[in-house]
Amino acid sequence: MRNFESISPQQFTGGPEKKETIMENSEVSQTEQQPKRKRTIVKTIVVLAVFALLIVALDLALYPCTFIRSDIHAISTTQYDDIIVGDSHGKMNIDPDSMEEITGRSGHNVCVGGEYGIDAYYLVKLAAEKQNPTRVIYEISPGYFVTEKEEGNNYLLFYHEFPLSLSKVEYFFDAIAQTNFRTVLFPWYEYSLSYEIPLIADTLTHKLTGDYSIDSETSTSQIYHESGFIERYAVDTATLQLTEPILYEEGAIVEENMEYLKKTIEFCRENGIEFVAVTTPIPAATLGTWWDSYTAAWEYFESFFEEEGVTYLNFNTDYYFSFSHEIEDYTDYDGHMNGDAAREFSKVLAELLTTVEG
């Protein structure tokens, strides 16, 4: 049997010559691998860059220029006294230009159908971060406080248009990150309900030239004004049908919606911004049909705002007789006014706000 103890390390490894050869080969191998690693890194960077450019290009071409883009740009770049937030009732019923005729205060309407408490809160924060508004007018529709904000393109509707800001970062973590945050990378996909392929050239022109005019919102039924107010043309009210709106139900309040309403009030208070809540008029036929539900809603919100110590102008209770509830002044039974009625109502609202200030 061979005695391994008599074998030297040199014999076992092949001697110093072989060891030196192995080290030389190893150095040569490492030298050859370095360029390969660099090429791999460069290729990865190029692929990521192309992917990023593709994302930006698709966003530029396929995500349309909405009136929300114009509204958010306005409150980010222009000083206004009043910022108006809320849903479509506020959008169609409150005209800042008509109010300014009475109050002398400038204003912009950033109400939108589908605007929930969390959206309104960050719109107010953005306006305060970029400019210096002195009053927030929050249009209150009860149905928006008993329903949850749906996932999908509505989550990006406002966030997508926010400029780079602290508000946008906070908005992302509070809203977008809680759902499918990857949609931020593919906003055009979330807007895929109706790609406007024929308008791609116009969309690109608007975005690349910094044009925030919204000609596309002018149609046979409505017109968008630079103040954010959307004027609806009068309709033949004899053809309108009474349909059930989203109704308030006791105990059905979505706490997150109330939480962000409270946060908006607190933010305004901490930053010296006046806060006023407004519920616009609803046609008498609608109120009468669902009187119990509306009565419960008014009682809930009137109690809430009284506890918060803020002004609440409800044109269906205390200020019922301040403006018309006849269907002829509306374009539907849900309470969206025609343009002439909205301008008249806005002046009435402005007069009341002046009285409240006094």
Side-chain angles (χ1 to χ4, degrees), residues 139-200:
E139 178 269 322
I140 301 293
S141 292
Y144 272 81
F145 291 87
V146 295
T147 55
E148 294 185 3
K149 186 176 174 68
E150 296 178 0
E151 293 188 28
N153 72 321
N154 208 26
Y155 261 91
L156 292 179
L157 199 60
F158 308 95
Y159 175 83
H160 180 269
E161 310 301 347
F162 268 49
L164 185 62
S165 59
L166 179 60
S167 300
K168 182 162 189 167
V169 175
E170 293 177 352
Y171 195 8
F172 174 82
F173 285 105
D174 266 5
I176 311 301
Q178 306 302 320
T179 56
N180 187 354
F181 66 89
R182 290 168 295 184
T183 57
V184 173
L185 297 175
F186 311 101
W188 69 89
Y189 176 78
E190 286 299 315
Y191 207 87
S192 61
L193 295 177
S194 57
Y195 287 148
E196 298 172 330
I197 302 299
L199 297 179
I200 284 180

Side-chain angles (χ1 to χ4, degrees), residues 58-352:
L58 287 170
D59 184 31
L60 284 172
L62 296 180
Y63 198 99
C65 293
T66 65
F67 64 82
I68 300 168
R69 172 177 177 266
S70 179
D71 287 341
I72 291 178
H73 175 74
I75 65 171
S76 301
T77 59
T78 305
Q79 172 63 42
Y80 293 104
D81 298 314
D82 294 340
I83 299 296
I84 305 163
V85 295
D87 65 27
S88 59
H89 291 89
K91 195 68 170 176
M92 314 296 179
N93 298 350
I94 302 178
D95 174 24
D97 291 340
S98 296
M99 292 181 65
E100 188 173 0
E101 292 178 21
I102 305 299
T103 64
R105 297 170 61 93
S106 60
H108 196 88
N109 187 327
V110 284
C111 297
V112 183
E115 184 177 303
Y116 280 78
I118 190 170
D119 308 310
Y121 173 67
Y122 280 106
L123 285 167
V124 170
K125 287 200 72 172
L126 176 67
E129 180 181 343
K130 296 294 186 179
Q131 302 297 323
N132 185 35
T134 56
R135 178 166 61 192
V136 165
I137 299 172
Y138 198 131
E139 178 269 322
I140 301 293
S141 292
Y144 272 81
F145 291 87
V146 295
T147 55
E148 294 185 3
K149 186 176 174 68
E150 296 178 0
E151 293 188 28
N153 72 321
N154 208 26
Y155 261 91
L156 292 179
L157 199 60
F158 308 95
Y159 175 83
H160 180 269
E161 310 301 347
F162 268 49
L164 185 62
S165 59
L166 179 60
S167 300
K168 182 162 189 167
V169 175
E170 293 177 352
Y171 195 8
F172 174 82
F173 285 105
D174 266 5
I176 311 301
Q178 306 302 320
T179 56
N180 187 354
F181 66 89
R182 290 168 295 184
T183 57
V184 173
L185 297 175
F186 311 101
W188 69 89
Y189 176 78
E190 286 299 315
Y191 207 87
S192 61
L193 295 177
S194 57
Y195 287 148
E196 298 172 330
I197 302 299
L199 297 179
I200 284 180
D202 289 339
T203 297
L204 286 171
T205 300
H206 274 71
K207 291 181 178 180
L208 296 176
T209 61
D211 183 357
Y212 287 87
S213 60
I214 305 294
D215 301 329
S216 61
E217 290 303 319
T218 297
S219 66
T220 56
S221 61
Q222 64 184 31
I223 180 172
Y224 171 84
H225 293 272
E226 289 185 3
S227 64
F229 165 58
I230 288 185
E231 174 186 355
R232 277 192 172 178
Y233 301 136
V235 299
D236 180 3
T237 56
T239 64
L240 297 177
Q241 294 184 347
L242 182 61
T243 57
E244 183 174 289
I246 299 175
L247 297 170
Y248 170 89
E249 294 180 26
E250 191 172 352
I253 286 286
V254 176
E255 288 304 318
E256 182 185 62
N257 298 333
M258 294 304 298
E259 174 191 342
Y260 278 98
L261 176 57
K262 290 178 184 178
K263 289 180 72 169
T264 304
I265 294 171
E266 291 170 4
F267 177 83
C268 289
R269 188 175 290 132
E270 291 169 359
N271 290 273
I273 302 172
E274 180 186 1
F275 181 97
V276 178
V278 175
T279 294
T280 61
I282 296 172
T286 309
L287 287 172
T289 303
W290 293 283
W291 180 250
D292 290 342
S293 176
Y294 281 118
T295 300
W298 309 147
E299 289 176 353
Y300 176 85
F301 283 102
E302 285 171 2
S303 175
F304 169 79
F305 287 119
E306 184 177 357
E307 289 178 7
E308 290 293 327
V310 299
T311 301
Y312 179 39
L313 306 178
N314 189 338
F315 287 83
N316 302 290
T317 55
D318 294 345
Y319 300 95
Y320 183 92
F321 295 104
S322 297
F323 193 75
S324 168
H325 292 262
E326 298 299 320
I327 190 60
E328 286 73 22
D329 289 311
Y330 298 82
T331 60
D332 55 37
Y333 279 97
D334 196 38
H336 300 94
M337 300 175 187
N338 62 53
D340 289 339
R343 280 184 281 271
E344 184 182 344
F345 168 73
S346 297
K347 292 178 181 179
V348 171
L349 173 60
E351 291 282 4
L352 282 171

